Amino acid sequence: MSAIQEQLPDLLPSGYTLLDRYRVVRLLRKGGMSVVYDVVDETNGRVLAVKVLPGQLRTRVLHQRFLREARLAAQVVHPNVVSTIDAGVLCDETPFIVMERLEGETVRDLLVKEGRLPLAQAVHILRQVLAGIEAAHARGVIHRDLKPSNVLRLDGARDGFVKVIDFGLSKDIATHQKTLTGPGETLGTPSYMAPEQVLAEQVDARTDVYGAGVLFYEMVTGQRAVPYSDAVQSVFEAILTRPVPPPSSIVSELPAALDEFVAKALAKYPSGRFSSARAMSRAAQALRPDA
């Protein structure tokens, strides 16, 4: 590792080495909850990505949550889920996660360009997401933050291959691990949260069913199921009390069966939703125009 310092800079310099193995090449992106770098694994020359928790966010709770992400994500091995390679802590106790390096564009990028996606393409993406999420659920891991920016379509991949990324809000239900939040804090992106997340109640696989439904709704309509607002409480009120407009009321050529599918996925109570990612995927297959 590079020479020990009491406090590392907020941005790691090119050439800095983590675990005497991963050499920083360049900064990839800065987000609200992490900084991501291109790195090279010096043992085999493989190009990877490293996600680091920024200095201003190094609170005890976020530190624990970040390391938990590495542990939970590493348990999920599936072609439609980003692979976690390694994890560690820098000399100033800054946690980091080493992941496979992916090139592509998110579903958010696609929607910005296209407005909305053809039904067949949306179903294809949804079923891949559900396959990855099903694998996570089989390991007792709930993603809890499914949204267009957390689904990546890989460059050069055949047939629009996608991966689910960012397990930063995931929860381990296998051990019923306590959620790492502050008093009264909810986790998730407001417009994409399930009612039970808004109420800070117990989550399970059906929480991700809801998240997948919100993702699908936006892909086929070009609109969020719950519109964005700076007033978070109004977003929460809509999630808890207001019905989501049927997709066919926004895009007239969408079939009535799609309205029923979305209504079931976005039921206010988990008991009204598809029971699992697999059940939702089977129902989605019947929606394809070529099915």
Side-chain angles (χ1 to χ4, degrees):
M1 183 176 286
S2 301
I4 293 180
Q5 308 169 51
E6 290 187 2
Q7 182 66 46
L8 291 172
D10 283 338
L11 295 179
L12 298 179
S14 175
Y16 186 88
T17 304
L18 301 87
L19 300 182
D20 291 324
R21 176 172 180 174
Y22 305 107
R23 176 173 51 83
V24 174
V25 176
R26 65 187 177 97
L27 174 70
L28 275 179
R29 64 179 182 273
K30 292 178 66 177
M33 295 297 293
S34 63
V35 181
V36 182
Y37 299 89
D38 250 340
V39 300
V40 172
D41 185 341
E42 297 272 313
T43 66
N44 56 25
R46 185 181 180 188
V47 177
L48 299 166
V50 163
K51 180 161 69 170
V52 178
L53 185 68
Q56 68 271 23
L57 295 178
R58 291 172 201 163
T59 65
R60 182 187 62 83
V61 168
L62 287 177
H63 187 284
Q64 291 177 318
R65 188 188 300 166
F66 196 87
L67 291 177
R68 186 187 65 182
E69 175 188 356
R71 181 178 62 80
L72 294 182
Q75 296 177 27
V76 184
V77 179
H78 189 273
N80 293 117
V81 174
V82 62
S83 297
T84 298
I85 311 298
D86 206 344
V89 177
L90 300 180
C91 57
D92 66 346
E93 300 302 314
T94 300
F96 65 89
I97 301 171
V98 184
M99 307 171 292
E100 63 177 321
R101 173 73 162 89
L102 302 173
E103 295 281 356
E105 57 184 350
T106 66
V107 169
R108 167 65 62 220
D109 298 329
L110 285 174
L111 291 173
V112 168
K113 290 191 305 183
E114 306 293 337
R116 64 182 183 89
L117 304 183
L119 179 55
Q121 182 182 11
V123 169
H124 181 56
I125 291 173
L126 174 66
R127 296 192 75 224
Q128 292 182 78
V129 168
L130 290 169
I133 292 303
E134 181 186 354
H137 294 171
R139 301 294 298 177
V141 176
I142 308 300
H143 189 283
R144 296 200 296 174
D145 198 26
L146 293 176
K147 56 187 178 182
S149 58
N150 280 343
V151 179
L152 188 74
R153 187 175 73 167
L154 303 188
D155 287 347
R158 295 181 56 190
D159 199 25
F161 192 80
V162 304
K163 284 181 179 271
V164 178
I165 61 176
D166 199 347
F167 277 72
L169 297 183
S170 56
K171 181 181 179 68
D172 184 349
I173 61 170
T175 60
H176 303 283
Q177 180 167 319
K178 182 180 178 181
T179 302
L180 294 171
T181 63
E185 180 184 358
T186 56
L187 284 178
T189 307
S191 291
Y192 299 97
M193 292 171 67
E196 59 269 26
Q197 289 176 284
V198 172
L199 296 171
E201 296 178 345
Q202 181 67 39
V203 301
D204 61 24
R206 295 168 297 181
T207 302
D208 282 344
V209 164
Y210 184 97
V214 173
L215 168 69
F216 183 63
Y217 187 96
E218 191 164 347
M219 288 194 289
V220 297
T221 68
Q223 297 183 20
R224 294 187 183 190
V226 178
Y228 170 81
S229 171
D230 287 329
V232 175
Q233 283 305 123
S234 69
V235 174
F236 287 171
E237 179 184 353
I239 291 171
L240 294 173
T241 64
R242 296 176 197 165
V244 174
S248 65
S249 70
I250 299 170
V251 181
S252 59
E253 62 264 32
L254 292 175
L258 183 61
D259 294 345
E260 298 172 9
F261 174 85
V262 166
K264 187 172 181 66
L266 300 184
K268 302 295 185 187
Y269 295 98
S271 60
R273 299 175 202 152
F274 296 102
S275 60
S276 66
R278 177 175 294 184
M280 186 176 181
S281 183
R282 286 197 299 263
Q285 175 62 17
L287 297 173
R288 287 181 63 112
D290 55 353

